[in-house]
Amino acid sequence: MTVAALPPSARTRVRRVAELASYEQAALHAIVDAAYLCHIAFRDAHGSHCIPTACWRIDDHLYIHGSNGSRMLKQLLADTGACVTITHLDALVLARSAFNHTMNYRSAMIYGQFEKVADTGQQHAAMEALMDKLAPGRQTQVRGGSAKEYAATTVLRIALDESAVKQRAGGPLDDAGDMAHVVWTGELPFTHGRGAAIADALNTCELPPYAAAWSTESA
């Protein structure tokens, strides 16, 4: 018998519809790996903010990057903590009762303290991993980052050990008293499709395999 993972902390324990929660690292990794953007909540002297930014995973950390002058990155290094969220919306769920309508989704919340990737070699490896996430194999084809570009860039990471996943799938859950109400019920899916690659007007190269495969791969 497999024992379900427990919440890593009190603030990650899902209380509302707790049966939809998961604390398994595999579930978390799948949601992070499917994302290109995350939202980071933080607070500074000007108030509370929630900013979208590119993200990627290496082992048990989520990574972000930005300019050295980024207000958010400076605050994340100076602050005591942050909350990162990722959400994938899969479908609208239509029920017989207005208040039983819901959505199918996959979401994750990550708490913790960001740390700077200070080692130059690790910084380069992290940025190359981002490029590999965007288009596997492209790193060897493009001009690599210059010393000046790397010097102007900050890479941060946050551990994934204090996190929670919440996800829903399937059709509506109608109340027994509503079953006689005649109305269409079911799911309105969102298909996370990919379009065919579009060459730039100044492009001079043949379509590479990773770009040709883009539209045939699942998002």
Side-chain angles (χ1 to χ4, degrees):
M1 178 179 178
T2 302
V3 179
L6 297 175
S9 67
R11 62 181 174 178
T12 59
R13 182 169 70 85
V14 176
R15 294 168 173 80
R16 177 63 180 164
V17 197
E19 63 271 18
L20 300 182
S22 171
Y23 307 101
E24 302 290 344
Q25 286 291 295
L28 174 65
H29 289 179
I31 290 173
V32 173
D33 290 347
Y36 290 93
L37 289 173
C38 66
H39 286 79
I40 301 179
F42 66 98
R43 183 175 178 82
D44 63 11
H46 301 286
S48 300
H49 313 276
C50 185
I51 296 180
T53 189
C55 66
W56 68 103
R57 181 179 67 87
I58 302 176
D59 299 327
D60 295 323
H61 286 82
L62 178 140
Y63 285 72
I64 63 172
H65 78 296
S67 165
N68 291 346
S70 165
R71 174 185 62 171
M72 179 178 73
L73 269 59
K74 288 181 178 178
Q75 186 63 29
L76 291 176
L77 285 174
D79 203 359
T80 56
C83 179
V84 182
T85 62
I86 295 172
T87 303
H88 304 286
L89 180 60
D90 296 321
L92 305 180
V93 181
L94 278 55
R96 289 173 172 81
S97 163
F99 279 79
N100 278 336
H101 282 59
T102 186
M103 300 179 187
N104 287 340
Y105 59 91
R106 293 159 289 142
S107 65
M109 294 185 68
I110 302 156
Y111 292 93
Q113 173 71 53
F114 275 92
E115 62 180 2
K116 182 177 181 179
V117 178
D119 179 82
T120 300
Q122 292 181 2
Q123 182 203 31
H124 289 199
M127 293 301 295
E128 291 175 3
L130 170 59
M131 180 63 69
D132 191 55
K133 176 182 175 67
L134 298 177
R138 188 168 176 81
Q139 179 66 40
T140 60
Q141 300 175 345
V142 298
R143 176 185 68 78
S146 67
K148 181 179 180 180
E149 289 170 329
Y150 275 112
T153 301
T154 297
V155 177
L156 302 184
R157 70 178 192 173
I158 186 171
L160 297 174
D161 53 4
E162 189 181 1
S163 59
V165 165
K166 192 174 182 182
Q167 48 193 342
R168 187 193 190 280
L173 298 177
D174 284 302
D175 297 332
D178 293 327
M179 295 305 294
H181 190 81
V182 180
V183 65
W184 188 89
T185 60
E187 302 170 53
L188 301 179
F190 286 96
T191 56
H192 303 278
R194 300 183 177 190
I198 302 172
D200 181 71
L202 301 179
N203 174 67
T204 58
C205 295
E206 295 183 358
L207 191 68
Y210 54 78
W214 174 257
S215 62
T216 62
E217 296 175 348
S218 59

